[in-house]
Amino acid sequence: MFEGTHAGGPLAPELDGPRKRALILAGGGLKVAFQAGVLQVWLDEARDSGKRLEFMHADGASGGVFQLAMWCQGMSGHRIAENWRRTSPVHAALELNCRGWLRGESLLAMHKLRTRVLRDTWGLDWRRIHASTASATFNVFDVSGQRLVTLPPAQMSEDLLVAATSLPGWYPSVTVRGRTYIDGVFATDANLEAAIAAGANELWVIWTVSTAGRWRNGPVAEYFQVIEACANGALQRSLDRIAHSNRAHAQGRPAQYPHPVRIVPLVQEVPVHYLLVFTRRRLKAAVDLGVRRARQWCRQRGLDVCVEPGPATVNDTGRVVERGSMYQGERLRTPHSGHVPVGSGGRADRDEQSQALGSRDRKPGLRVRSVAAR
C-alpha cells in the first residue's frame, strides 16, 4: 500500500500551481481514535514556514465521519482529540440491542452513541454543521439505490451520521426519508475522487485499517478481515488510477484527473480492535499514540511542531498527571493474554504494538505523583 509516495514516485508528482491540501479521514472503527490524535497535531501544532496547515477540503468515510463532523463544526484539533479521550467505548460501540437481536436486526444498538457520545460528550451541533462553509464530503451507502452517496455538511443529519458507521449485523440500518442507509466501507473507506473533484491536489491520508495481510480464523476475525479486503482493495484501485493519471500528465497525454495529485499518507497499525474495546483508557492511549506518531511524522518531513504546555490533570485512578507537553505519554497495553480470534485483539495486539510503539515512543512522557503529595 502507498508505494510510489516517495519523492519522484508516481504518487508524488510536481504540482501544477499552488498546493491545495485535503484531509482524507478514512474509517477504521474505534482505531480512528488514533486519527483524532493526528488531527491535534495537523490542525493545531504543525507549522509549515511558520504558518498553520490549511486544508481546503476534507472527506470522511465510515468512522472518519465522526472527525469530519467535528471539523465542520469548527472544533480545534485539541478539542477533537480530547473528545475521544473522554469517550466511553461501551457507550460508543457496545450497547446491546436486546429487542433487535431477537428480531434478527442487529447485535448492538446506537441509542447511547447518539445521546451520551454525539450529543453529551462531543457536543455536536447540527445547526453549526449545516451552516458550515467548509468544503467537505460525507460518504454513506444507500441500500435502496444500491450506490454510495456523498453528501455535503448542509445535507447531513444525526441519522445519516449514525448510518455512515452502521456495520451490518453489528448495528441496525438507518431509514431516512424512506431510504435505507448503512456504512459505506464496503464501497469505499476513503473517497479520494471526491477530494480531487473538489479541487485538491495534495491528499493527506490517515490510514488505520490494517494492511498486515494476515488471515485469522473465527467469525469475528473474518468479518473484519472482509472489511480490510474491501477497504484496502478499493483504496489500492484509487491509488492506481491516480498514479496512471499522474504518468499521463507527465507525458503530456490525456489524463483521468484534471491535474497531478500528490498522496501524503500517515499509515499506522493501531493496536486496538475495530470494535471490541472495553475501557476509556484504551481509547485515550490510542489518541496519545496518534499525537506522538504525528509529531514524529511532521518532523521527519521538515514541518515544525509547536507544542503548548498542558495543565496537570487527575487521571482515572485519582493520581495527578503533570504533562510537560500536551498528551505525550500514555502508552497502549495489550488487553488480553493468549489468542483471541477477533482480528486485532490478543496476539495480534502484541505484534502490532511492537510496530506502533518504537523506542522513541517508549520514552516516558508523563510525570506522576499522588494527589496527597500536592
Side-chain angles (χ1 to χ4, degrees), residues 129-185:
I129 294 171
H130 290 157
S132 173
T133 59
S135 174
T137 42
F138 294 79
N139 297 278
V140 60
F141 192 80
D142 179 355
V143 177
S144 302
Q146 284 297 288
R147 65 189 182 97
L148 182 76
V149 293
T150 303
L151 302 173
Q155 295 182 24
M156 283 298 293
S157 65
E158 182 180 275
D159 284 340
L160 286 168
L161 189 75
V162 169
T165 60
S166 294
L167 288 175
W170 292 99
Y171 301 107
S173 60
V174 179
T175 300
V176 181
R177 294 185 291 276
R179 304 186 74 85
T180 301
Y181 296 92
I182 61 171
D183 195 317
V185 67

Side-chain angles (χ1 to χ4, degrees), residues 99-217:
R99 293 182 180 179
W101 180 76
L102 293 173
R103 295 193 301 266
E105 183 182 72
S106 66
L107 178 62
L108 301 172
M110 287 184 156
H111 304 300
K112 290 182 179 179
L113 170 70
R114 290 172 181 262
T115 58
R116 299 193 183 185
V117 179
L118 302 184
R119 300 172 194 171
D120 295 344
T121 303
W122 294 356
L124 292 187
D125 183 337
W126 286 100
R127 289 177 297 179
R128 295 181 63 185
I129 294 171
H130 290 157
S132 173
T133 59
S135 174
T137 42
F138 294 79
N139 297 278
V140 60
F141 192 80
D142 179 355
V143 177
S144 302
Q146 284 297 288
R147 65 189 182 97
L148 182 76
V149 293
T150 303
L151 302 173
Q155 295 182 24
M156 283 298 293
S157 65
E158 182 180 275
D159 284 340
L160 286 168
L161 189 75
V162 169
T165 60
S166 294
L167 288 175
W170 292 99
Y171 301 107
S173 60
V174 179
T175 300
V176 181
R177 294 185 291 276
R179 304 186 74 85
T180 301
Y181 296 92
I182 61 171
D183 195 317
V185 67
F186 296 102
T188 186
D189 212 21
N191 196 337
L192 308 186
E193 286 80 2
I196 297 171
N201 60 11
E202 187 171 272
L203 312 186
W204 287 41
V205 184
I206 309 172
W207 193 256
T208 58
V209 173
S210 177
T211 60
R214 296 189 295 259
W215 189 261
R216 295 182 177 83
N217 296 324

Side-chain angles (χ1 to χ4, degrees), residues 80-365:
I80 294 171
E82 191 60 25
N83 280 349
W84 273 95
R85 292 188 183 95
R86 296 167 52 224
T87 296
S88 164
V90 175
H91 294 157
L94 297 175
E95 177 191 359
L96 290 177
N97 186 7
C98 297
R99 293 182 180 179
W101 180 76
L102 293 173
R103 295 193 301 266
E105 183 182 72
S106 66
L107 178 62
L108 301 172
M110 287 184 156
H111 304 300
K112 290 182 179 179
L113 170 70
R114 290 172 181 262
T115 58
R116 299 193 183 185
V117 179
L118 302 184
R119 300 172 194 171
D120 295 344
T121 303
W122 294 356
L124 292 187
D125 183 337
W126 286 100
R127 289 177 297 179
R128 295 181 63 185
I129 294 171
H130 290 157
S132 173
T133 59
S135 174
T137 42
F138 294 79
N139 297 278
V140 60
F141 192 80
D142 179 355
V143 177
S144 302
Q146 284 297 288
R147 65 189 182 97
L148 182 76
V149 293
T150 303
L151 302 173
Q155 295 182 24
M156 283 298 293
S157 65
E158 182 180 275
D159 284 340
L160 286 168
L161 189 75
V162 169
T165 60
S166 294
L167 288 175
W170 292 99
Y171 301 107
S173 60
V174 179
T175 300
V176 181
R177 294 185 291 276
R179 304 186 74 85
T180 301
Y181 296 92
I182 61 171
D183 195 317
V185 67
F186 296 102
T188 186
D189 212 21
N191 196 337
L192 308 186
E193 286 80 2
I196 297 171
N201 60 11
E202 187 171 272
L203 312 186
W204 287 41
V205 184
I206 309 172
W207 193 256
T208 58
V209 173
S210 177
T211 60
R214 296 189 295 259
W215 189 261
R216 295 182 177 83
N217 296 324
V220 176
E222 291 177 3
Y223 182 96
F224 287 100
Q225 285 162 170
V226 167
I227 287 179
E228 291 173 357
C230 292
N232 289 326
L235 176 68
Q236 189 62 64
R237 290 191 294 274
S238 292
L239 294 176
D240 289 344
R241 287 192 293 269
I242 292 171
H244 181 77
S245 179
N246 286 342
R247 292 190 186 98
H249 278 290
Q251 297 167 7
R253 297 186 287 107
Q256 181 171 355
Y257 301 115
H259 50 261
V261 177
R262 180 182 296 163
I263 304 297
V264 183
L266 194 165
V267 184
Q268 184 70 46
E269 294 286 336
V270 181
V272 297
H273 190 259
Y274 295 102
L275 180 62
L276 303 181
V277 181
F278 300 96
T279 66
R280 184 181 285 111
R281 178 178 295 180
R282 294 282 295 170
L283 289 185
K284 289 173 62 179
V287 175
D288 294 343
L289 174 61
V291 172
R292 294 195 304 275
R293 179 73 177 86
R295 288 171 177 167
Q296 179 189 51
W297 183 95
C298 286
R299 289 170 177 135
Q300 289 172 345
R301 284 157 180 77
L303 297 173
D304 295 325
V305 178
C306 179
V307 183
E308 298 178 359
T313 60
V314 179
N315 66 15
D316 293 340
T317 62
R319 297 166 69 85
V320 171
V321 181
E322 290 183 336
R323 306 177 190 273
S325 58
M326 286 291 270
Y327 314 121
Q328 296 186 74
E330 191 165 358
R331 293 188 292 272
L332 287 164
R333 301 176 182 82
T334 303
H336 305 293
S337 59
H339 178 59
V340 180
V342 292
S344 299
R347 189 175 300 167
D349 270 4
R350 293 194 295 272
D351 296 341
E352 293 170 355
Q353 183 177 349
S354 65
Q355 300 174 32
L357 301 177
S359 58
R360 291 184 182 181
D361 289 332
R362 294 179 186 277
K363 294 179 182 180

